[in-house]
Amino acid sequence: MSNNTDAGDPSPAVTSSSPSSNLHMTTTSRHYFGSSTENSDSFCITIVESMKEDYGLFVWPCSIVLAEYVWQQRLRFSGVSVVELGAGTSLPGLVAAKVGSDVTLTDDVNRPEVLANMRRVSDLNNLNCNVMGLTWGLWDADIFSIHPKIILGADVLYDTSGRIILYLWFFFHSDKLKKRFLLCMYLLAFDDLFATVAFLLQNSPGSVFITTYHNRSGHHLIEFLMGKWRLKCVKLLDGFSFMPSTKASGLSGNIQLAEIVLNT
């Protein structure tokens, strides 16, 4: 695996708010990569977010960590095909496009407002990203047409209904039979994601899935799903171990970054 390159000391993000023509308010956040004193490669990505913190329209800490990792690994991303799963506001994918990747941004086909915002931020940053509706576990024609060298996923191991937190709490406070049932429920919640990741990895020999997630997800259960789909983790990092202090100070949580490949 490639080693991280020096990121410099980027400026903190600057956020400003403005009303949108939609029914809810939006804000624009600016995310800086590199340093203006470091070299000419530094840049800023502008993101349009929902002020209601809608999951698919808000920049969450895992996205910031993954985007920073893409920036630090920018030589690795230059000139390769990249797909971001559950992209939402698409910060990691946009950074990949900025450093020279051929990027396809994907999110649930049933969320047209998120897909529309993905096109909007791509245009806003003068980037030519392909936007695709992709629902995990559904095998439509589009998924067969993409052959990514790198698959990105920020906080894709999060369940917006809150079921996962409940499963994990009851798992550690239940008898053996209940634990088996709750484990099955947890696995079903993310089985489609891992099925999609496994398919894309198989469809592109030598590819890798890079994901950031909060440890609330239960890493031992993630390992079980990797085993089921014949995947293996080849790198596991503390998300804050490579973050510049100016960015890390504004984040919270126990964030992990994992690189996952086929277990051949």
Side-chain angles (χ1 to χ4, degrees):
M1 289 295 170
S2 303
N3 293 325
N4 293 346
T5 57
D6 186 9
D9 187 17
S11 303
V14 178
T15 303
S16 60
S17 301
S18 60
S20 92
S21 57
N22 298 323
L23 294 178
H24 59 270
M25 301 286 285
T26 61
T27 182
T28 55
S29 58
R30 295 178 179 86
H31 303 264
Y32 295 87
F33 298 88
S35 170
S36 58
T37 60
E38 182 184 84
N39 54 50
S40 59
D41 292 334
S42 60
F43 58 84
C44 172
I45 296 290
T46 301
I47 300 292
V48 179
E49 305 179 64
S50 168
M51 293 178 67
K52 292 183 177 180
E53 300 189 6
D54 181 279
Y55 184 72
L57 294 172
F58 189 78
V59 179
W60 296 92
C62 282
S63 291
I64 295 172
V65 172
L66 184 55
E68 180 64 28
Y69 188 72
V70 173
W71 161 250
Q72 293 189 23
Q73 298 269 319
R74 55 194 177 277
L75 295 180
R76 177 184 179 189
F77 279 80
S78 179
V80 303
S81 176
V82 171
V83 167
E84 184 176 0
L85 300 178
T89 51
S90 309
L91 182 59
L94 294 174
V95 173
K98 198 74 174 178
V99 299
S101 299
D102 179 14
V103 175
T104 297
L105 304 172
T106 73
D107 213 302
D108 191 342
V109 71
N110 298 308
R111 300 203 65 187
E113 75 285 359
V114 175
L115 297 174
N117 193 61
M118 288 158 61
R119 295 185 183 94
R120 181 182 179 187
V121 295
S122 181
D123 291 343
L124 184 63
N125 290 281
N126 298 312
L127 295 169
N128 186 26
C129 297
N130 181 36
V131 174
M132 178 188 298
L134 177 63
T135 301
W136 303 334
L138 295 183
W139 314 111
D140 56 20
D142 286 341
I143 194 172
F144 292 93
S145 68
I146 52 178
H147 302 273
K149 184 70 174 178
I150 300 176
I151 306 160
L152 299 175
D155 220 358
V156 289
L157 296 166
Y158 179 66
D159 178 49
T160 55
S161 69
R163 290 176 300 172
I164 301 308
I165 295 173
L166 289 174
Y167 294 161
L168 292 175
W169 190 90
F170 282 113
F171 183 87
F172 292 109
H173 296 82
S174 303
D175 59 33
K176 188 175 294 186
L177 183 61
K178 288 181 180 178
K179 283 185 178 181
R180 290 178 181 175
F181 171 76
L182 292 166
L183 177 60
C184 289
M185 294 297 291
Y186 181 94
L187 297 178
L188 285 172
F190 294 120
D191 209 38
D192 287 341
L193 167 63
F194 278 84
T196 300
V197 169
F199 172 81
L200 291 173
L201 292 174
Q202 291 165 1
N203 209 30
S204 305
S207 56
V208 60
F209 174 47
I210 306 177
T211 183
T212 48
Y213 60 92
H214 284 276
N215 248 356
R216 61 169 180 250
S217 307
H219 191 76
H220 58 297
L221 297 179
I222 296 170
E223 288 179 336
F224 183 92
L225 280 169
M226 287 194 296
K228 175 183 176 181
W229 291 102
R230 298 183 179 179
L231 307 175
K232 65 179 179 180
C233 180
V234 293
K235 180 184 284 188
L236 183 64
L237 298 174
D238 180 340
F240 290 94
S241 65
F242 55 84
M243 290 293 291
S245 59
T246 51
K247 292 186 178 182
S249 61
L251 304 176
S252 61
N254 183 4
I255 298 174
Q256 304 288 313
L257 182 142
E259 296 199 13
I260 295 169
V261 300
L262 287 175
N263 189 8
T264 56

